[in-house]
Amino acid sequence: MKKISTLIVFLCFQFSFSQYNTDWEEAVVYLKDGTSLKGEGRMSMQSSPITSGGNETFRLSEGKGKPTHTLKAKDIDSIVFKLDFRTKINGRKEDRKRSARFIVFPKNEKKSKFGFAELLVDGKLRLLQRTVSSSSNNHHRIFDQQLIQFKGEIPLIGSNNMGLPAFKKKAKEYFQDCPTLVSKLEAKIYRSDDLEAIVNYFNANCAK
């Protein structure tokens, strides 16, 4: 497998991103030293390129009258949030909470910078997602950015806003050790917006 370990596809979904910037959300932080911290936390929203910015940090408040910790991503194994979301049940909108696990990924080859992303699918090949911002020609937008990452490898940024031809070209290199998956991509069985299906197929059929 080539050292191409992060493939980005931009998709706009309507997920809650209250854990970014403003709201303090219930969270448990699992540190790399084996300890954990509980409280309410938030992280800063990043710009869309993975390599932008430096080391990301996470702020955790253990409660009123207690100190607020600023934790570096490199010292964190994972964060489990309890996040608010809105869903429809029997035609009525209801507010619920869901658990969201955020993991840490390296942002550069030297592994000197680290960032956060929500883990959607685990395995040798993982599907991650984070909410990011982008500004162009005085136009600002916030959207969900999905990433495919081989576990344990150093991530490299993929092409921005890939269409199907660019995705297929990138994926043929990316999945060169999984010819059956490449065949499915060439036959358009899987497209650029079928990331979860692609990850699940690879982990079930090609992970060694």
Side-chain angles (χ1 to χ4, degrees), residues 45-59:
M45 187 178 295
Q46 303 297 309
S47 299
S48 58
I50 286 181
T51 54
S52 66
N55 276 297
E56 296 178 25
T57 59
F58 180 76
R59 296 184 65 197

Side-chain angles (χ1 to χ4, degrees), residues 107-147:
K107 297 171 70 173
N108 60 1
E109 292 188 22
K110 295 181 180 179
K111 293 188 177 181
S112 60
K113 298 179 181 180
F114 295 85
F116 300 105
E118 183 179 357
L119 179 63
L120 300 183
V121 178
D122 201 2
K124 182 178 180 180
L125 183 64
R126 305 192 295 185
L127 178 61
L128 310 178
Q129 178 171 282
R130 62 183 193 155
T131 303
V132 296
S133 63
S134 175
S135 296
S136 178
N137 298 323
N138 296 320
H139 177 68
H140 183 78
R141 68 188 184 114
I142 294 173
F143 57 96
D144 288 313
Q145 181 188 67
Q146 290 198 329
L147 307 93

Side-chain angles (χ1 to χ4, degrees), residues 32 73-74 76-78 102-106 114-117 126:
K32 288 185 177 178
K74 68 181 183 68
I76 295 174
D77 178 71
S78 62
F102 281 69
I103 55 88
V104 173
F105 65 88
F114 295 85
F116 300 105
R126 305 192 295 185

Side-chain angles (χ1 to χ4, degrees), residues 35-202:
T35 62
S36 62
L37 297 169
K38 291 184 178 181
E40 293 184 339
R42 67 183 182 184
M43 58 186 66
S44 297
M45 187 178 295
Q46 303 297 309
S47 299
S48 58
I50 286 181
T51 54
S52 66
N55 276 297
E56 296 178 25
T57 59
F58 180 76
R59 296 184 65 197
L60 182 75
S61 172
E62 294 186 75
K64 291 183 179 180
K66 294 184 179 181
T68 297
H69 305 279
T70 299
L71 306 170
K72 295 179 180 179
K74 68 181 183 68
D75 297 323
I76 295 174
D77 178 71
S78 62
I79 303 167
V80 177
F81 277 105
K82 290 290 186 182
L83 297 180
D84 295 319
F85 74 101
R86 179 163 290 184
T87 186
K88 278 188 176 182
I89 300 177
N90 296 325
R92 297 180 60 184
K93 292 182 179 180
E94 293 190 15
D95 293 326
R96 297 291 182 92
K97 281 188 176 289
R98 68 179 182 92
S99 292
R101 182 185 172 201
F102 281 69
I103 55 88
V104 173
F105 65 88
K107 297 171 70 173
N108 60 1
E109 292 188 22
K110 295 181 180 179
K111 293 188 177 181
S112 60
K113 298 179 181 180
F114 295 85
F116 300 105
E118 183 179 357
L119 179 63
L120 300 183
V121 178
D122 201 2
K124 182 178 180 180
L125 183 64
R126 305 192 295 185
L127 178 61
L128 310 178
Q129 178 171 282
R130 62 183 193 155
T131 303
V132 296
S133 63
S134 175
S135 296
S136 178
N137 298 323
N138 296 320
H139 177 68
H140 183 78
R141 68 188 184 114
I142 294 173
F143 57 96
D144 288 313
Q145 181 188 67
Q146 290 198 329
L147 307 93
I148 294 177
Q149 181 194 38
F150 281 104
K151 192 173 182 178
E153 289 191 5
I154 301 169
L156 300 176
I157 192 168
S159 300
N160 292 353
N161 299 315
M162 280 188 291
L164 181 59
F167 176 82
K168 286 175 63 177
K169 182 179 179 181
K170 189 84 170 179
K172 287 176 69 174
E173 299 177 10
Y174 197 71
F175 299 117
Q176 61 177 315
D177 290 345
C178 187
T180 56
L181 179 54
V182 171
S183 296
K184 289 180 180 295
L185 290 164
E186 290 179 335
K188 299 182 181 180
I189 296 173
Y190 292 141
R191 297 176 179 270
S192 57
D193 56 352
D194 295 325
L195 293 188
E196 185 171 353
I198 290 169
V199 169
N200 288 333
Y201 182 91
F202 181 93

Side-chain angles (χ1 to χ4, degrees), residues 14-20 25 83-85 98 131 144:
Q14 290 185 339
F15 286 114
S16 166
F17 48 85
S18 58
Q19 70 273 22
Y20 295 98
E25 297 289 346
L83 297 180
D84 295 319
F85 74 101
R98 68 179 182 92
T131 303
D144 288 313

